[in-house]
């Protein structure tokens, strides 16, 4: 009973991860297709890549426990990069570092 339930949960997690990846890839494609504000959209697309990175590494770590340690490191490194991209997006949105600091 327990083995069957685990297999179903892994399949559901995999389908959810791939669905999230496909949806976010569609949103990234739409951003790239309508690239009207490159100084902002560049940061947005980099942030949106976090969804497939997080979803696929979490699912792969669930499937292979031996690789979880390395996949968590990849996910954590990209998460730090996304935080940098978010702050850079805020700075670009406010029109520079000085405007951003004054707005805070």
């Amino acid at each position: 009973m327990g083995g069957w339930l685990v297999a179903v949960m892994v399949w559901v997690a995999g389908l959810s991860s791939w669905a999230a990846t496909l949806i976010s890839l569609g949103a990234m494609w739409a951003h790239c297709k309508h690239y009207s504000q490159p100084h902002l959209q560049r940061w947005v697309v980099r942030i949106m890549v976090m969804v497939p990175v997080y979803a696929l590494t979490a699912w792969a770590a669930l499937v292979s426990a031996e690789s979880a340690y390395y996949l968590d490191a990849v996910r954590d490194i990209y998460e730090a990069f996304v935080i940098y991209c978010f702050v850079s997006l805020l700075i670009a949105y406010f029109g520079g570092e000085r405007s951003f600091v004054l707005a805070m």
Side-chain angles (χ1 to χ4, degrees):
M1 170 81 180
W4 177 81
L5 183 61
V6 170
V8 169
M9 289 174 30
V10 169
W11 272 98
V12 169
L15 290 174
S16 300
S17 296
W18 282 102
T21 298
L22 292 175
I23 291 169
S24 65
L25 288 175
M28 284 184 270
W29 179 78
H31 266 282
C32 292
K33 183 179 175 186
H34 305 288
Y35 206 60
S36 59
Q37 296 181 337
H39 66 285
L40 296 176
Q41 286 175 295
R42 177 183 317 126
W43 300 112
V44 171
V45 170
R46 289 176 185 168
I47 293 169
M48 291 173 70
V49 172
M50 183 62 187
V51 174
V53 167
Y54 199 87
L56 294 176
T57 57
W59 178 64
L62 184 64
V63 170
S64 172
E66 294 85 23
S67 65
Y69 180 75
Y70 303 105
L71 292 172
D72 285 347
V74 169
R75 187 173 56 217
D76 290 343
I77 290 169
Y78 196 77
E79 185 177 358
F81 177 68
V82 166
I83 292 170
Y84 161 75
C85 290
F86 180 70
V87 172
S88 297
L89 174 65
L90 290 176
I91 290 170
Y93 180 74
F94 281 106
E97 291 180 14
R98 181 168 173 76
S99 300
F100 177 66
V101 170
L102 292 175
M104 290 183 70

